[in-house]
Amino acid sequence: MSDAPDPSSRPTLPRGVRLKHDALRGEWVLLAPERLLKLDTVAVEILQRCTGEATFDAVVDDLVRVFAAPRERIAADVGTMLSGLAAKRLLDWR
Amino acid sequence: MNAPAPPVGLLAELTHRCPLGCPYCSNPLELEGREAEMSTEEWRRTFTEAAALGVMQVHLSGGEPAARRDLVDLVAHCAAAGLYTNLITSGIGLTAERIAALSAAGLDHVQLSIQDSDEESADRIAGYRGAAARKREVAAEVVRAGLPLTVNAVIHRANIGRAGALLEQAIAWGARRVEIAHAQYYGWARRNRAALMPSRAEAIRAIAEIEALKAAHAGTIVVDHVIPDYHATYPKACMGGWGRRLINVTPTGRVLPCHAAETIPGLDVWSVREHGLGEVWASSPAFVAFRGTDWMVEPCRSCSRKGVDFGGCRCQALALTGDARNADPVCHLSPFHGQVDAVVLAETGSVVPDYAYRSLRLKD
């Protein structure tokens, strides 16, 4: 994919987009302007690391420790997900 | 019947008061005055109950919500309850200080309406001189406060030739998201339909223009494009299905499955002044009436899309067919679909009537 993230840029959830654990339904959601996305556990692990502090590379490195999968595979999946959110203006790169 | 799944969103019409007079306003024709509105304490209790019930997003709307002096207080209350709080505003009544206070109180998002990219036309549509210039300042102040901004524009006969310019104005103002919504003919828009409805050719041209700009600006701005349902093939799933996801609370505390539901005669609407919100959601006759699919008649009853669009809009079915249980006649499968074409043809003539501006004075 041509729009793979710059490894040194830092993904962050902009103001108006936030992660929330919905205790009533027992699930995580991403709340955004006029939107509400249900998240699976992998997406939650990724987005919890998008703090604006860690670089894309650091996020991937950290996830490699959590998930038993090759680094290239994780980098590709995380890149695809974050690029998709950025295209919807639900994620910014710093 | 099993308990319904909890709602996810609540639209709070804090007031019907508004300095603007937009002829397509979604408020009912009979508007409530200040003295009938719920108190701060009643709204606080409503939001607390909403959060407990499972609501995650609250949309503070009106009228103009900034007409409420307790707006900052209510935002702080919603934020403390963990609710994602969205302010739907005309911008009139929002000073820089007030925007900063709302931001500090925990407001998550601002949706600002605009009427046209041509300021003179915009002021004429709003029935308020200087509104467009003021909105431009409010947008800048919202962005300066660090709040995410959505610009919302209703498209109709007077501005449809500038639909693309409206979208580009939203980008220039720093919005991350823009809603381009073709007028929906309920409430005041129903009354002003002949003054508002564009021709089919104009609508098709505007839809193509917006879709092209949407693709061109992908990644810069998110475009939510609500196409005019009079020209659609299938109806929209109004409110995501009746009593399925959303709650609407009027300024006086009446709890509706959609903002236009009170146009349906015989609907027994409960109020948060007399019932808990959870009780209303589960048991109020107005919510039960069209929840699920058991109430449907043909062609919806045997339709494979009945769980997709839920038969469309009850209020539109009533308005155009005389029975709220019928399929929304914008559906090409509806036996009343011809009514829609007849309305479009009859109301897009060369003589454009004056607007009946939205006004509080109509209520006895």
Side-chain angles (χ1 to χ4, degrees), chain B:
Chain B
M1 193 169 145
N2 296 328
V8 296
L10 183 143
L11 180 80
E13 294 175 343
L14 296 179
T15 178
H16 279 157
R17 290 175 284 142
C18 181
L20 304 190
C22 305
Y24 48 75
C25 182
S26 63
N27 285 160
L29 295 175
E30 292 214 338
L31 298 167
E32 301 288 352
R34 181 205 294 260
E35 62 291 341
E37 289 174 9
M38 287 212 289
S39 66
T40 307
E41 201 40 54
E42 286 173 308
W43 276 113
R44 284 166 156 254
R45 179 169 52 77
T46 302
F47 295 133
T48 300
E49 291 180 7
L53 183 59
V55 167
M56 287 187 274
Q57 291 181 310
V58 164
H59 309 279
L60 301 176
S61 180
E64 172 46 57
R68 292 275 308 205
R69 289 192 190 141
D70 54 3
L71 182 62
V72 174
D73 181 344
L74 293 176
V75 166
H77 184 82
C78 289
L83 293 161
Y84 184 102
T85 310
N86 175 26
L87 181 68
I88 300 177
T89 180
S90 71
I92 310 300
L94 286 181
T95 59
E97 295 72 29
R98 209 147 177 231
I99 291 166
L102 288 165
S103 178
L107 184 66
D108 286 293
H109 175 249
V110 175
Q111 179 178 312
L112 177 68
S113 68
I114 58 173
Q115 278 64 34
D116 202 333
S117 57
D118 176 301
E119 293 201 348
E120 203 177 310
S121 171
D123 287 355
R124 194 181 63 81
I125 294 164
Y128 188 98
R129 184 154 298 284
R134 182 67 201 124
K135 283 162 185 276
R136 189 162 19 89
E137 294 166 9
V138 167
E141 284 155 8
V142 167
V143 171
R144 201 174 300 131
L147 283 162
L149 173 69
T150 289
V151 165
N152 168 283
V154 175
I155 299 297
H156 50 88
R157 199 166 185 158
N159 63 12
I160 193 161
R162 288 180 292 277
L166 277 160
L167 193 158
E168 281 162 349
Q169 181 170 307
I171 296 172
W173 284 8
R176 297 173 68 96
R177 183 171 167 275
V178 60
E179 285 183 8
I180 302 286
H182 293 252
Q184 309 271 353
Y185 297 101
Y186 315 109
W188 289 88
R190 173 67 189 81
R191 164 169 291 202
N192 284 296
R193 192 168 62 186
L196 294 170
M197 188 175 284
S199 70
R200 184 157 282 172
E202 287 174 309
I204 288 167
R205 205 159 42 235
I207 290 166
E209 185 183 16
I210 293 298
E211 288 300 316
L213 288 169
K214 182 176 178 172
H217 294 294
T220 300
I221 195 162
V222 176
V223 181
D224 275 356
H225 187 195
V226 181
I227 67 157
D229 68 356
Y230 274 33
H231 307 294
T233 305
Y234 292 110
K236 61 191 188 311
C238 195
M239 307 301 285
W242 187 278
R244 192 166 158 269
R245 298 177 61 78
L246 303 170
I247 294 179
N248 188 103
V249 183
T250 75
T252 62
R254 290 163 68 78
V255 190
L256 304 172
C258 98
H259 60 261
E262 288 189 289
T263 62
I264 299 174
L267 216 54
D268 183 6
V269 173
W270 289 1
S271 168
V272 284
R273 284 174 154 163
E274 281 124 37
H275 300 271
L277 193 65
E279 186 191 359
V280 177
W281 175 254
S283 312
S284 117
F287 275 86
V288 172
F290 303 109
R291 182 176 270 148
T293 55
D294 289 348
W295 55 272
M296 288 179 174
V297 297
E298 294 296 351
C300 296
R301 180 169 275 280
S302 59
C303 182
S304 63
R305 289 178 56 90
K306 70 179 173 184
V308 177
D309 53 36
F310 299 96
C313 171
R314 299 305 88 231
C315 306
Q316 187 145 275
L318 173 75
L320 295 182
T321 78
D323 187 337
R325 288 172 305 163
N326 281 328
D328 184 334
V330 305
C331 182
H332 73 295
L333 299 171
S334 162
F336 297 93
H337 187 57
Q339 300 281 77
V340 177
D341 289 335
V343 165
V344 173
L345 281 176
E347 307 230 90
T348 56
S350 54
V351 180
V352 184
D354 290 338
Y355 293 144
Y357 284 108
R358 172 201 196 277
S359 150
L360 269 179
R361 288 186 295 276
L362 277 184
K363 180 134 186 179
D364 298 331

